[in-house]
Amino acid sequence: MGGLRGVRRIYAAFFLGLFGFLLWAGEFERLKGFEVGLFLQLDPLTALGGFLTSHTLYKGLALALLILIPTLFLGRFFCSWICPLGIVNQVLSHIFHRRRAVESWEENRYRPVYRVKYYLLVVLLVFAGLGSLQTGLLDPIALIYRSFTLSLLPAVDRAGGGGWFALPAVFHGGVLIGGVLLAILLANRLITRFWCRALCPLGALLGWCAQWSLWRIRRDVDRCNQCKQCLRACQGAADPDGALRHTECHLCMNCIEACGTQALHYGLAGSRSSIGRPLDLNRRRVVEVALAAVVAVPMTRSTLSPRSTPTPEVIRPPGSLPEAQFLARCIKCGLCMRVCPTNVLQPALLEAGFEGLWTPLLMNAVGYCEHHCVLCGQVCPTAAIRPLSVAEKVGAPPFTKPVRLGTAFFDRGRCLPWAMDVPCIVCEETCPTSPKAIWYETVAITSRDGRKVTLKRPFVQPELCIGCGICENKCPVTDLAAIRVSSVGESRSGDNRMLLNQQSGWIEGTIDTGLG
């Protein structure tokens, strides 16, 4: 192993190992200040999408310039040197493909279908420009984080390779999320790095930037004997044996190593260097795709969703921005779900509409929001969940009000003291607020068999309830709890309020900041 390919392999091994370490460190007991979202901060597509939707560049996302600016000069080095999904695809392609030379030549030729990634990029950027951030659905960094966190790592834990989660973790729709990644990986069996060549929108963005790169793979036409060994080794369908398509080149450096006549080199153009091909993109198709995306955005918002109508089951993590702003920032990476100590944060399917697919919401049947935990806001790479202090979350001085996620309601038909004359005060005992949001009334009744029974029938005091969901999670009626939390009363919304008490401030049309 030597030359630029050897250097690339060292970098790839380092960044793949770093990615694995940050995944391991993302568990709440090991967090300890590690930048677990580092790869997302380096991601130019995450930064660009967030900038288009929010018109701001959130702190760590400026690191994306460390990738974007060098790409303008050096080409798509990110794809084979840093991107975890690109590196895994390259390794699998190398393992899967043991073909004859003529078959590899045919497979590695550029095909028009590889333009699709540019059209997908256009669609995602149009969506972002109209305030709908969907880049995370196909962004390779968000995709691989989400897939490992919500599907593969829980599966590894259950198969006995434990240690990734402190407690056994389950995630809503994890099979679908993991299936998408497996399909991407298995596609390498058919076509080398099919995802990178045809579908990756981040690769398209970097390819577009790379069209002006000065340093690139160059072919000396006098030395080249047209043996096509470079084409056989090519990972990007960049046609290195002809007029190189440098926008498609992943800079894997395989072609340089494969060339027996040293006709290929990486650097500036020489006097006998071959010409390159420009970006293969039809402007008319780009306009058509962009117009189609413009039409599609209002269609995705025409369905019932929390953006249009408050939805009881869409309870967002503490610190979440108002729904429209939240959707304009959330990239569905799953980092918040990775650090959640109780597993209450789950990926939405269609509960929050199409725009909310795989965004985090609380499912109190699985867990609850730990009263003094603010980790989800600390790791969110885009501030869709803004960082909170513990004092702000619980309403300790200087804050006067806690952050409310929703409000608990009793289902008296399922509550043991109310419906079955069975003593139970679990919800009151577990309520973390002070004073407690759940209180009870002591009553003495005569049961059907004539016994005297003293019961403590619980009530909720809505203005004290923070919607943490521990009462719902610990309710002994396990399948459908007798007390359940809905989103009404959440601090982040000025509209999703109950008209309970004109004096309590619950009907104020502004967002509750907790500062009085």
Side-chain angles (χ1 to χ4, degrees):
M1 182 174 68
L4 284 175
R5 185 173 64 173
V7 175
R8 187 262 301 164
R9 286 178 172 175
I10 292 172
Y11 271 84
F14 170 77
F15 281 108
L16 193 59
L18 179 62
F19 174 73
F21 172 77
L22 294 178
L23 272 180
W24 175 83
E27 203 276 329
F28 74 94
E29 289 184 339
R30 297 188 285 259
L31 201 55
K32 298 179 181 175
F34 291 116
E35 286 289 344
V36 293
L38 176 63
F39 281 85
L40 291 161
Q41 293 170 354
L42 288 171
D43 184 345
L45 186 56
T46 294
L48 179 59
F51 179 77
L52 289 175
T53 54
S54 65
H55 306 125
T56 59
L57 189 61
Y58 185 61
K59 52 179 188 182
L61 295 180
L63 290 177
L65 296 175
L66 296 179
I67 302 298
L68 204 57
I69 293 175
T71 301
L72 293 170
F73 298 95
L74 305 176
R76 289 174 58 180
F77 67 95
F78 183 83
C79 300
S80 287
W81 296 57
I82 298 176
C83 177
L85 186 54
I87 295 168
V88 171
N89 278 330
Q90 175 140 355
V91 171
L92 290 179
S93 293
H94 179 73
I95 294 172
F96 286 154
H97 289 265
R98 302 293 181 189
R99 296 176 176 164
R100 294 182 300 169
V102 67
E103 294 174 332
S104 296
W105 295 340
E106 183 62 27
E107 180 196 325
N108 288 339
R109 283 287 181 206
Y110 178 79
R111 307 178 189 190
V113 71
Y114 298 156
R115 301 173 187 149
V116 170
K117 61 180 177 292
Y118 295 102
Y119 300 139
L120 288 175
L121 175 65
V122 170
V123 170
L124 294 174
L125 294 184
V126 169
F127 267 65
L130 296 177
S132 179
L133 186 59
Q134 301 302 323
T135 55
L137 291 176
L138 296 176
D139 183 293
I141 308 299
L143 188 152
I144 196 169
Y145 262 113
R146 180 173 64 241
S147 302
F148 270 84
T149 295
L150 308 184
S151 182
L152 299 187
L153 296 185
V156 170
D157 266 4
R158 289 185 177 276
W164 290 96
F165 290 90
L167 300 173
V170 293
F171 290 100
H172 187 46
V175 172
L176 174 62
I177 293 169
V180 171
L181 179 63
L182 290 178
I184 290 171
L185 300 182
L186 290 174
N188 292 297
R189 184 69 182 87
L190 303 175
I191 295 178
T192 298
R193 295 185 70 166
F194 175 75
W195 165 264
C196 307
R197 291 181 179 182
L199 300 177
C200 180
L202 176 56
L205 175 62
L206 297 176
W208 182 78
C209 293
Q211 62 183 310
W212 298 287
S213 60
L214 298 176
W215 282 266
R216 60 181 67 165
I217 303 289
R218 310 279 185 179
R219 183 173 63 91
D220 188 319
V221 294
D222 290 338
R223 290 186 174 184
C224 179
N225 61 5
Q226 289 296 315
C227 68
K228 293 187 172 57
Q229 288 302 310
C230 55
L231 179 60
R232 186 180 186 185
C234 181
Q235 291 276 317
D239 294 341
D241 61 321
L244 184 92
R245 299 177 184 273
H246 47 275
T247 57
E248 305 301 315
C249 178
H250 300 162
L251 294 182
C252 67
M253 308 298 177
N254 286 357
C255 57
I256 295 177
E257 294 294 322
C259 181
T261 62
Q262 288 76 50
L264 294 173
H265 78 282
Y266 175 71
L268 300 173
S271 60
R272 299 299 298 164
S273 294
S274 64
I275 60 171
R277 288 183 185 272
L279 182 66
D280 181 25
L281 207 54
N282 185 306
R283 292 182 181 178
R284 178 174 295 180
R285 295 288 176 272
V286 170
V287 172
E288 291 172 353
V289 168
L291 290 176
V294 169
V295 174
V297 171
M299 289 178 64
T300 62
R301 295 175 177 171
S302 64
T303 58
L304 192 63
S305 71
R307 182 191 281 270
S308 58
T309 305
T311 308
E313 66 269 25
V314 178
I315 304 169
R316 297 297 189 186
S320 295
L321 299 177
E323 188 66 14
Q325 297 174 37
F326 179 84
L327 294 176
R329 285 181 177 265
C330 180
I331 56 171
K332 318 164 199 300
C333 63
L335 271 183
C336 56
M337 302 176 226
R338 175 74 176 113
V339 300
C340 180
T342 67
N343 200 198
V344 67
L345 292 184
Q346 298 286 319
L349 292 181
L350 295 178
E351 296 90 340
F354 172 78
E355 288 183 283
L357 179 65
W358 294 332
T359 55
L361 50 77
L362 276 73
M363 290 189 180
N364 295 316
V366 181
Y368 58 91
C369 187
E370 181 65 43
H371 194 48
H372 291 93
C373 176
V374 292
L375 289 177
C376 51
Q378 303 297 325
V379 300
C380 180
T382 62
I385 309 170
R386 64 184 179 88
L388 297 176
S389 65
V390 173
E392 182 179 2
K393 183 185 177 189
V394 303
F399 301 94
T400 58
K401 298 176 183 177
V403 173
R404 295 190 174 95
L405 310 182
T407 308
F409 294 86
F410 277 105
D411 182 345
R412 291 187 179 182
R414 300 178 66 85
C415 181
L416 298 180
W418 281 104
M420 304 170 198
D421 297 338
V422 174
C424 175
I425 56 170
V426 171
C427 53
E428 191 271 347
E429 289 179 328
T430 57
C431 181
T433 63
S434 179
K436 288 180 179 291
I438 297 178
W439 60 282
Y440 54 80
E441 179 184 52
T442 303
V443 296
I445 59 134
T446 302
S447 65
R448 186 177 184 182
D449 57 5
R451 291 183 297 110
K452 297 294 184 183
V453 180
T454 300
L455 297 172
K456 296 177 178 177
R457 287 177 169 166
F459 296 82
V460 175
Q461 191 165 345
E463 60 269 34
L464 295 179
C465 181
I466 57 174
C468 67
I470 191 171
C471 53
E472 180 178 342
N473 183 257
K474 301 300 182 185
C475 178
V477 185
T478 54
D479 61 338
L480 181 62
I483 181 168
R484 299 189 290 276
V485 177
S486 78
S487 64
V488 69
E490 57 184 344
S491 298
R492 69 190 185 114
S493 171
D495 301 320
N496 192 13
R497 304 294 177 97
M498 289 187 291
L499 301 177
L500 280 181
N501 185 343
Q502 299 284 340
Q503 304 302 318
S504 68
W506 277 56
I507 59 171
E508 293 175 357
T510 57
I511 298 170
D512 189 350
T513 63
L515 287 170

